[in-house]
Amino acid sequence: MKLLEDRIIKDGKILEGDIIKVDSFLNHQLDIKFLNTLAEDVAKYFKNKNINKILTIEASGIAFATVISENMNYIPVVFSKKKKTLNIGDSLWQSHVKSYTTKKDYMISVSKEFIGKDDNLLIVDDFLAEGNALRGLIDISKKAGANIEGISVAVEKGYQGGGDYVRKLGYDLYSLAIIDSIENGKFSFKRI
Amino acid sequence: MKLLEDRIIKDGKILEGDIIKVDSFLNHQLDIKFLNTLAEDVAKYFKNKNINKILTIEASGIAFATVISENMNYIPVVFSKKKKTLNIGDSLWQSHVKSYTTKKDYMISVSKEFIGKDDNLLIVDDFLAEGNALRGLIDISKKAGANIEGISVAVEKGYQGGGDYVRKLGYDLYSLAIIDSIENGKFSFKRI
């Protein structure tokens, strides 16, 4: 999606260790109008699928999931939690996730109440690099017996393998921008 | 707001240790259409204030902040992070927060890039009990030199002191539902 590629070129920053920072509009400060435009595109891509629920992961995926829901008849959003809090209950679908940014493992949890075998899910997240968070969400969906109709991320780092892994599993992954390489501080994108 | 009170009565659960669970629509599964209706009300309440940015805290505050932004001309949302990740940078406003639900202290951080002395903030969160997260957000706003125009939460547990504390500091706090007491498994609300 050219609009997102242009925004990444304009506002994205490249940090040491191949970290891409898009936190002025996507995952720390949020440009809600812009996210809405992305969400329209996601809804259009999946319009012929019979999706009844959006599954995402806290925290950065939540705003994106919210605006996608608005463009898909307000279907419910469920976000997996990274910590077990006192009020989430004991009846949980869980999966282990390795974090690329913090380098620590963590557990993600979704209450069994909110994901089950009758669900046709769209899994969404803001960012896809090695795909660890997505693997966790796929694992939880499978444990719940839910059907994964599609997966969408805003930004995919195409050269870190997460997207290819998910596509090889046979899932319909729609990434709005795929960064192919970063050379001399310049982004280049894979034509989608 | 009667609509929210009715929803709490219908879907809210009371757990041991005085924990109120509204996770079927507010902070685990999200009813986006319902959140939008709450957001309209918040925007109406603050319509005469000169607010240019929304500050919230991950994770549960993000969806509520997103829909409030949509009702306030898409002003930017900034969410404070609970962990320092590799890509947030070193130039941070920070504050210590005690959690009521996990019983652990944690640090919240906002990049100095996104909150500063020119900002007129609306601080929002999904839930207000002892007010620890709000205190952290107020602390960060003050450190940044930003002006706090108002504060809004969906659900306030009126008897745990957080709301009164914030009001005594002189802030314009708008809670959409204030739970006054829970007796014999029944919610009673403070008329707003």
Side-chain angles (χ1 to χ4, degrees):
Chain A
M1 192 195 191
K2 191 163 181 311
L3 191 79
L4 178 55
E5 294 175 2
D6 289 347
R7 185 71 180 258
I8 294 167
I9 291 166
K10 182 174 160 272
D11 292 328
K13 286 171 193 162
I14 300 155
L15 305 189
E16 241 177 284
D18 199 27
I19 302 274
I20 295 169
K21 220 174 136 181
V22 284
D23 64 355
S24 67
F25 63 97
L26 186 64
N27 46 26
H28 184 18
Q29 181 168 254
L30 307 170
D31 180 340
I32 304 299
K33 192 163 197 166
F34 184 76
L35 290 186
N36 248 297
T37 311
L38 304 188
E40 277 172 32
D41 194 56
V42 174
K44 199 173 154 191
Y45 182 89
F46 289 106
K47 71 176 190 299
N48 294 323
K49 300 251 184 170
N50 182 31
I51 293 164
N52 74 316
K53 203 170 275 182
I54 297 169
L55 176 65
T56 188
I57 182 166
E58 68 175 23
S60 310
I62 296 174
F64 191 39
T66 298
V67 292
I68 292 173
S69 161
E70 292 177 327
N71 284 278
M72 294 180 81
N73 297 314
Y74 294 99
I75 54 174
V77 170
V78 176
F79 64 88
S80 68
K81 305 213 170 190
K82 288 184 182 171
K83 265 186 199 165
K84 195 187 162 191
T85 55
L86 287 185
N87 55 359
I88 194 175
D90 289 321
S91 192
L92 304 171
W93 306 114
Q94 294 192 300
S95 185
H96 237 99
V97 174
K98 198 180 136 185
S99 170
Y100 180 72
T101 39
T102 64
K103 308 288 181 203
K104 276 182 200 160
D105 282 16
Y106 57 94
M107 183 75 94
I108 62 170
S109 309
V110 173
S111 168
K112 289 187 179 177
E113 214 178 319
F114 302 128
I115 300 280
K117 61 180 176 46
D118 296 330
D119 287 319
N120 293 308
L121 301 176
L122 176 64
I123 295 177
V124 312
D125 205 0
D126 60 325
F127 217 92
L128 167 57
E130 293 177 323
N132 296 315
L134 268 194
R135 287 174 206 217
L137 292 174
I138 291 169
D139 184 38
I140 277 181
S141 305
K142 286 166 78 172
K143 282 174 178 161
N147 174 40
I148 298 170
E149 280 287 337
I151 301 173
S152 188
V153 299
V155 183
E156 176 183 341
K157 284 164 91 179
Y159 52 92
Q160 282 188 327
D164 290 341
Y165 173 85
V166 167
R167 286 183 190 95
K168 265 181 208 151
L169 292 176
Y171 295 112
D172 187 359
L173 167 63
Y174 183 48
S175 302
L176 299 186
I178 302 177
I179 300 171
D180 229 4
S181 67
I182 307 171
E183 272 172 54
N184 305 318
K186 283 201 171 179
F187 296 100
S188 83
F189 297 95
K190 186 175 176 179
R191 290 272 67 83
I192 304 166
Chain B
M1 191 193 191
K2 190 162 182 313
L3 191 77
L4 178 55
E5 294 174 2
D6 289 347
R7 185 71 180 257
I8 294 167
I9 291 166
K10 180 173 161 273
D11 292 329
K13 286 171 192 162
I14 300 156
L15 306 188
E16 240 177 284
D18 199 27
I19 302 273
I20 295 170
K21 220 174 138 181
V22 283
D23 64 356
S24 66
F25 63 98
L26 186 63
N27 46 26
H28 184 20
Q29 181 168 254
L30 306 169
D31 180 340
I32 305 300
K33 193 164 198 166
F34 184 76
L35 289 186
N36 248 297
T37 311
L38 304 188
E40 278 173 32
D41 193 55
V42 174
K44 199 173 156 191
Y45 181 89
F46 289 108
K47 73 176 190 296
N48 294 322
K49 300 250 184 170
N50 182 30
I51 293 164
N52 74 317
K53 204 169 274 181
I54 297 169
L55 176 64
T56 188
I57 182 166
E58 68 175 26
S60 311
I62 296 174
F64 191 39
T66 298
V67 293
I68 292 173
S69 161
E70 292 177 326
N71 284 278
M72 294 180 82
N73 297 313
Y74 294 100
I75 54 174
V77 170
V78 176
F79 65 88
S80 67
K81 304 211 172 193
K82 288 185 182 170
K83 265 188 200 164
K84 194 186 161 195
T85 54
L86 287 185
N87 56 358
I88 193 175
D90 290 321
S91 193
L92 303 171
W93 305 116
Q94 293 192 301
S95 185
H96 238 99
V97 174
K98 199 181 135 184
S99 169
Y100 180 72
T101 38
T102 64
K103 309 288 182 205
K104 275 184 200 158
D105 282 17
Y106 58 95
M107 182 76 92
I108 62 170
S109 309
V110 174
S111 168
K112 289 187 179 177
E113 216 178 317
F114 303 128
I115 300 279
K117 61 180 176 44
D118 296 330
D119 286 320
N120 294 309
L121 301 175
L122 176 64
I123 295 176
V124 314
D125 205 0
D126 59 324
F127 218 91
L128 168 56
E130 293 177 322
N132 295 315
L134 268 194
R135 286 174 207 219
L137 293 173
I138 291 170
D139 185 38
I140 277 182
S141 305
K142 286 167 79 171
K143 282 174 178 161
N147 174 40
I148 299 169
E149 280 287 335
I151 300 172
S152 188
V153 299
V155 183
E156 177 183 340
K157 283 164 90 177
Y159 52 92
Q160 281 187 329
D164 290 341
Y165 174 84
V166 167
R167 286 183 189 95
K168 266 182 204 149
L169 292 175
Y171 294 112
D172 187 359
L173 167 64
Y174 183 48
S175 301
L176 298 186
I178 302 177
I179 300 171
D180 231 4
S181 67
I182 308 172
E183 272 171 55
N184 305 320
K186 283 201 172 180
F187 296 100
S188 83
F189 296 95
K190 186 175 175 180
R191 289 271 67 82
I192 303 167

